[in-house]
Amino acid sequence: RQRYVEKDGKCNVQHGNVRETYRYLTDIFTTLVDLQWRFSLLVFILAYAVTWLFFGLIWWFIAYCRGDLEHLEDHAWTPCVNNLNGFVSAFLFSIETETTIGYGHRVITDKCPEGIVLLLLQAILGSMVNAFMVGCMFVKISQPNKRAETLVFSSHAVVSLRDDRLCLMFRVGDLRDSHIVEASIRAKLIKSKQTQEGEFIPLDQTDLSVGFETGDDRLFLVSPLIISHEIDERSPFWDVSRHQLEKDDFEIVVILEGMVEATGMTCQARSSYLADEVLWGHRFAPLLTLEEGFYEVDYGGFHQTVPVPTPACSARQLVAAAARRDAHLYWSIPSRLDQ
């Protein structure tokens, strides 16, 4: 089965036949940030090189029109820019102006009003280019995508009993000492379905409750946690037995979100489980041990599961059997008292 979300969190969806490509240019900042690094560096270099060349060409054109290049040896002539003797020197003067280096060899004179206007224009435009490009690179470098690399999900999900109720569980953990602030977890079932009207929905998304009503979806992720989805009458797995699970075709997407403690930026980590990655009748091995003065987490067994006795019937059948058993006990107690 083709995954909707890869195990590393990458969404396996490509957008094709997008005709309104102008929308990418209306948000050029986000477009540049989303580019791959090699293209971002290329745009970064071209932005500066083009502006330097453009203004260098204008400085050379002003010198050419004023006749400065024809009076290079005339010391009585006052040029627009001192010591500008060709396009290369005009290009170097453009770099010095925009980067505010100012070596002192080439300098503008007060006899060139068009040069003063161009100097002001280049200084303003250069500041705008610096702010825009440096801002893009800073946001791209500080993106919290790599923070998600240290947020790990168990390789399998499990189904077993918890307090006499069937639960679907998976484990999450954070490998760093710095915490994810305001961490929250979500889970969605991705499965094709057909409506009563005959409409086929290829990738229908259904929420799996992981404690939103009780607040259990908000995590204090200091040590690995087991996230539990109770299979009740509101769960899409209410009628699914072990035999049906082995033949079913679905994908469970889990999403962990929170703020990076060091930067305050929002981070999101994703993973998924196919039907054959859900183990019926297993639970996760414990990781936490108490040492002298601290708790130790053994991540060597993070993905390890152990088999446990679990009914092979569905949660509906399990609840119905428990109800029949309780009813039998209710009626058998008075009959015994009558005897």
Side-chain angles (χ1 to χ4, degrees):
R1 184 184 186 280
Q2 180 64 52
R3 286 185 180 273
Y4 188 62
V5 176
E6 298 290 346
K7 296 292 284 185
D8 59 359
K10 180 182 178 181
C11 295
N12 209 2
V13 177
Q14 294 185 1
H15 300 283
N17 198 22
V18 180
R19 299 180 180 180
E20 298 178 347
T21 54
Y22 66 90
R23 295 180 180 271
Y24 295 105
L25 297 179
T26 58
D27 187 13
I28 187 65
F29 185 84
T30 305
T31 301
L32 292 177
V33 172
D34 289 341
L35 287 176
Q36 297 181 7
W37 266 109
R38 55 178 177 269
F39 296 115
S40 295
L41 292 175
L42 178 62
V43 172
F44 186 83
I45 294 172
L46 287 178
Y48 285 103
V50 169
T51 54
W52 293 340
L53 286 171
F54 174 73
F55 283 103
L57 181 63
I58 297 179
W59 285 114
W60 174 84
F61 183 73
I62 291 176
Y64 176 80
C65 292
R66 294 183 78 255
D68 294 344
L69 301 180
E70 300 175 359
H71 298 81
L72 296 178
E73 304 299 331
D74 188 358
H75 298 287
W77 180 265
T78 303
C80 182
V81 179
N82 289 329
N83 300 306
L84 195 152
N85 52 20
F87 177 74
V88 176
S89 59
F91 175 69
L92 293 176
F93 180 72
S94 175
I95 296 177
E96 295 174 18
T97 301
E98 190 165 331
T99 58
T100 66
I101 293 176
Y103 290 116
H105 184 64
R106 280 173 290 271
V107 60
I108 190 171
T109 62
D110 57 358
K111 303 298 183 181
C112 182
E114 61 272 26
I116 296 175
V117 173
L118 181 61
L119 179 66
L120 295 175
L121 180 63
Q122 184 173 5
I124 295 172
L125 185 61
S127 299
M128 294 174 61
V129 171
N130 285 332
F132 188 82
M133 297 310 302
V134 173
C136 285
M137 297 304 292
F138 175 76
V139 172
K140 191 170 183 64
I141 292 173
S142 59
Q143 278 184 312
N145 296 343
K146 296 303 180 181
R147 180 62 176 89
E149 298 293 332
T150 52
L151 296 173
V152 291
F153 297 86
S154 57
S155 57
H156 291 84
V158 299
V159 176
S160 61
L161 290 175
R162 264 194 173 185
D163 297 327
D164 291 332
R165 297 177 180 271
L166 274 179
C167 295
L168 173 71
M169 295 170 284
F170 56 93
R171 182 146 60 187
V172 297
D174 188 0
L175 302 180
R176 287 189 180 274
D177 292 332
S178 59
H179 303 153
I180 295 294
V181 182
E182 296 292 333
S184 61
I185 191 77
R186 290 182 292 145
K188 286 187 174 292
L189 175 67
I190 310 295
K191 185 178 181 179
S192 301
K193 79 168 187 178
Q194 190 168 7
T195 64
Q196 297 179 359
E197 294 77 17
E199 179 186 4
F200 179 72
I201 304 177
L203 294 173
D204 183 61
Q205 299 185 11
T206 305
D207 278 329
L208 297 178
S209 176
V210 288
F212 176 78
E213 298 84 359
T214 60
D216 292 337
D217 63 324
R218 295 187 289 272
L219 310 178
F220 182 49
L221 198 58
V222 177
S223 61
L225 299 176
I226 297 176
I227 310 302
S228 175
H229 163 67
E230 181 179 330
I231 304 178
D232 54 15
E233 60 274 6
R234 297 174 298 174
S235 172
F237 297 106
W238 176 239
D239 293 312
V240 177
S241 64
R242 179 173 186 172
H243 180 66
Q244 292 172 318
L245 181 68
E246 294 173 351
K247 299 187 300 180
D248 211 342
D249 185 18
F250 61 84
E251 182 175 355
I252 299 172
V253 177
V254 293
I255 306 168
L256 175 63
E257 291 180 325
M259 290 189 301
V260 182
E261 186 179 37
T263 62
M265 302 184 70
T266 303
C267 172
Q268 184 181 94
R270 298 180 293 266
S271 187
S272 68
Y273 302 98
L274 298 180
D276 57 358
E277 295 173 339
V278 179
L279 304 179
W280 190 287
H282 284 70
R283 69 181 174 200
F284 291 103
L287 302 178
L288 204 61
T289 57
L290 178 60
E291 304 295 335
E292 291 189 11
F294 62 94
Y295 293 95
E296 183 176 0
V297 179
D298 182 14
Y299 278 97
F302 182 83
H303 304 284
Q304 183 180 355
T305 62
V306 292
V308 292
T310 304
C313 61
S314 66
R316 178 193 290 272
Q317 295 170 334
L318 186 63
V319 171
R324 289 194 300 268
R325 184 175 63 251
D326 293 341
H328 175 72
L329 291 175
Y330 176 79
W331 289 108
S332 63
I333 291 175
S335 63
R336 293 179 181 176
L337 292 176
D338 292 340
Q339 295 176 1

